Amino acid sequence: MIGIVDHRMGNLLSVYNAFEYMGADVELCGDPRDLEDADKIVLPGVGAFPDCMKNLKELGFQEVLNRLVLEEKRPVLGICLGMQVMAEWGEEFGEHQGLGWIPGRVVKIKPEDPGLKVPHVGWNNIQYSADSPLLKGLPESPDFYFVHSFHMECTDPAHVDAWCDYGGRVTAAVRRDNIFATQFHPEKSQDFGLKIIENFLSWH
């Protein structure tokens, strides 16, 4: 079973539908105890970093997720804000501690070209690591759909699985052991996004 974390801040329905379309046995988990039966976990998110962390703590998800992901090594896929809270720290509306699964900070995008607007909204092509399990089978420089004002700056460059150019290099995906995450939205990125979901479902 694929457990989608329902922390009241996700585009849950579109994520649910994309996984169901790919044939997954998927369940929205509004109670942390529901995740115990999940073989793999999806952590989506739309909104602000501090609100997301507040909800994860208050709803009891943080402790359960830390155990399942860090100790039991269950595969997890973060999407957009779900990726950002995997960092150690976020700078949205102040300084806020994240889950700390990926060493680094989430900072505001500052394009070198003043003509580029923030938030970064729309389709953009990415470059990715040749050995990426999440992005395997995709063509060179595939396009994905982004909606974000912040992005993760990884302490260890090896954790950056993909990046895009938006007036400078912007982290588009990260990977560390059983932890995967994308800044863009696979569930809104048509065939290439579905390929990423397929790759996550087949990863072991």
Side-chain angles (χ1 to χ4, degrees):
M1 185 267 282
I2 306 297
I4 299 177
V5 180
D6 179 2
H7 53 89
R8 317 293 193 263
M9 291 191 66
N11 48 333
L12 300 175
L13 191 57
S14 58
V15 174
Y16 179 93
N17 288 339
F19 274 81
E20 187 178 53
Y21 180 80
M22 295 306 294
D25 173 18
V26 60
E27 183 176 319
L28 294 175
C29 298
D31 187 314
R33 292 171 293 188
D34 298 339
L35 291 174
E36 299 289 349
D37 296 328
D39 303 306
K40 296 181 179 178
I41 298 166
V42 180
L43 179 57
V46 173
F49 189 107
D51 295 332
C52 185
M53 284 305 303
K54 178 175 179 286
N55 284 11
L56 288 174
K57 291 176 184 175
E58 291 185 352
L59 295 170
F61 280 110
Q62 184 172 11
E63 184 178 345
V64 173
L65 284 170
N66 280 338
R67 175 171 54 81
L68 297 178
V69 173
L70 299 180
E71 298 177 19
E72 298 185 15
K73 302 294 184 185
R74 296 196 200 181
V76 61
L77 174 64
I79 297 174
C80 197
L81 181 60
M83 165 176 153
Q84 294 181 1
V85 295
M86 292 179 175
E88 293 174 303
W89 296 95
E91 296 184 358
E92 188 172 8
F93 299 124
E95 183 89 356
H96 302 279
Q97 191 168 12
L99 293 169
W101 298 348
I102 305 288
R105 302 179 67 83
V106 175
V107 301
K108 191 163 188 178
I109 303 169
K110 296 178 180 176
E112 294 176 1
D113 180 351
L116 293 174
K117 296 181 179 178
V118 177
H120 170 210
V121 178
W123 294 85
N124 201 348
N125 64 302
I126 68 165
Q127 306 298 315
Y128 60 92
S129 303
D131 64 344
S132 171
L134 199 62
L135 295 149
K136 69 177 182 180
L138 289 168
E140 186 177 351
S141 303
D143 288 340
F144 289 96
Y145 187 77
F146 290 81
V147 183
H148 65 127
S149 298
F150 291 76
H151 81 118
M152 191 187 299
E153 288 186 344
C154 295
T155 303
D156 185 347
H159 292 150
V160 178
D161 207 26
W163 61 96
C164 67
D165 184 357
Y166 193 70
R169 183 163 161 148
V170 170
T171 303
V174 295
R175 168 170 52 113
R176 183 184 186 189
D177 302 325
N178 56 314
I179 301 169
F180 302 89
T182 65
Q183 181 60 69
F184 53 83
H185 289 270
E187 79 281 6
K188 297 180 180 178
S189 296
Q190 303 178 0
D191 289 347
F192 293 157
L194 294 177
K195 180 62 177 173
I196 282 184
I197 292 173
E198 178 186 348
N199 286 341
F200 178 67
L201 291 173
S202 63
W203 188 81
H204 54 82

